[in-house]
Amino acid sequence: MGFETSTPVVGEQFFNRVRELDMLRSIAAEAKGGVRRWLAILGHRKVGKTSLLIEFLRRSGAELPMPYVDCWDVRADPLLFLLRFLSAILGAAVRHLGAESDVGPLEAMEGDRLAASTVQALARLRSKAIDEAVQLHESVASGRPAAGTLHRIFDLPGRLAADIKGPVLVILDEFQELERLRRLRRFKDRVDDVFGLLRSLWQRQEGVSYVVAGSRLSAMRQIIADEKDAFFQHFEVLELGPFERRESLEMLRDAFGAGADLAKSAMATRILDLVGDHPFYVRVVAGEAAAALPGGRVTLHVLEHAMKEALESSLLEENGRLSLFMEQRYRAVTGESSTLESVLRGFVDPARISEVSEKLHVRTGAVSSAVKTLLGEDVLEKHADGSYGFTDPAFALWLKHRVDFRLAMPPLLVGTDSEQAVARRLAADGFRGVYQSRASRGAFDLLAVHDTRVIGLQVKTGAPPFELRAQEKARLLEDARRLGFVPALALVRGDAVRFYDLRQGSGKGGLRIRDDTRAVETLLELL
């Protein structure tokens, strides 16, 4: 099946999260029974929070008014966020009253101002809450909100519940971003404690339940679990994390077909370890691998090879889908701070603050300050032994590859044991680029790059006496001629690696390697 990776995943493509959906459904059911609950969903970006919420709305949104708002809009334009909040309230009310056909397209409500015909249609519904929302929408859209506007806006869910004499369930995604509302300059009244205002309003609202979600985990935990903060112990907490391994394998089966049993595949296990069973990463790798598969029935070996190539291209190539995501995250975390960049790079492998300070020749205090910032951005976490490491193993791998120019990383990560041994040897010999080959690069297993020259390597496990068959040798030589590569053979036994020039010998026969066959000390000799 094809995988959607650009927008929230809903409908047939929504995968798993059964327990979480059941919890949301129970909140809706209890709301209809008169029980108010507040739930906070915590999870890193792209782990599936928004998909979960939108899928819940798709399945259960008709049961009661459920205004949904993405608070991330506050970052771009706080007034636009408030307009969308008001539009969400209006939309939920109109749907509950069954008045969509009278009011018209709800999308029109997200413009700067409501159309006159929309305002007239809303007025005919004779709802005090709707009338209040329309007035507030006009006030915010004017760019000159009146005093008390924030208070009135966030009190609307309670007004709506009183109007319809029934429950309302409000869903606020990226809830932590509401902190930015206290810096609104165009409001006549200043709100120093946004979450304190929300708590005071929410506690008085009868019939209103709240589900909030956030990806800045440290900020969310401070809001809901810090005894000094307004919402201390007011929320149930649902941690949305990576898939369990069985769930990741099930997603791979969905991508490759029911016959693809990867449970016993060491390669699939290795790749899932590297991406940390993160749903978005698994989806991207599986989607790209599935798109590259040939038609018809494919073998396990072909599936594994496709997954290896998908991981390399998506995570480790400059314009790969996951690489671009990691680059954006990296820039968002470090900004223009060279200190944050240096310190973050220092922790690509777990380390203590003192170790990074010594390695970077930076004062311990400066490293500690940077670590505090990186902990706040949920990039680093502290381990039981006192060291710090990345919360996201795939992000650490991407940065390690990017920073240290370890272009031998693809085969080191997902290559066979023999390919990994060869990659380590080539990196030690000074090759700055070692890549796993693809079908378009001929029959070679690895490509070793030095300056502008490329050596195509066929990797074999064994020791002399060894014979490379004539047909295989001929194919490698032809591919090398066509692609401009220097052809070579790597013979691996354990950690011992021997290199041979495939051009040696004559005739159309194979290559017979004996103990006295000359091996090259380093592949640089072949260039």
Side-chain angles (χ1 to χ4, degrees), residues 8 38 46 57 66 151 154 164 168 177 200 238 245-246 273 293 308 313 334 363 376 385 398 408 412 415 465 475:
W38 296 359
K46 291 291 190 178
L57 284 168
M66 293 188 194
H151 185 287
F154 287 117
I164 65 174
V168 174
E177 300 305 317
S200 68
L238 173 63
R245 181 54 50 86
R246 61 178 177 78
D273 285 343
L293 290 175
K308 286 165 56 176
S313 63
T334 60
R363 290 183 299 104
D385 63 358
W398 172 83
L412 286 175
R475 186 175 75 252

Side-chain angles (χ1 to χ4, degrees), residues 25 44 164 183 278 283 296 316 329 336 370 373 398 517:
R25 279 194 288 258
H44 289 291
I164 65 174
R183 294 192 288 272
H278 190 295
R283 184 175 288 273
L316 301 178
R329 185 179 182 190
E336 300 297 325
T373 299
W398 172 83
T517 301

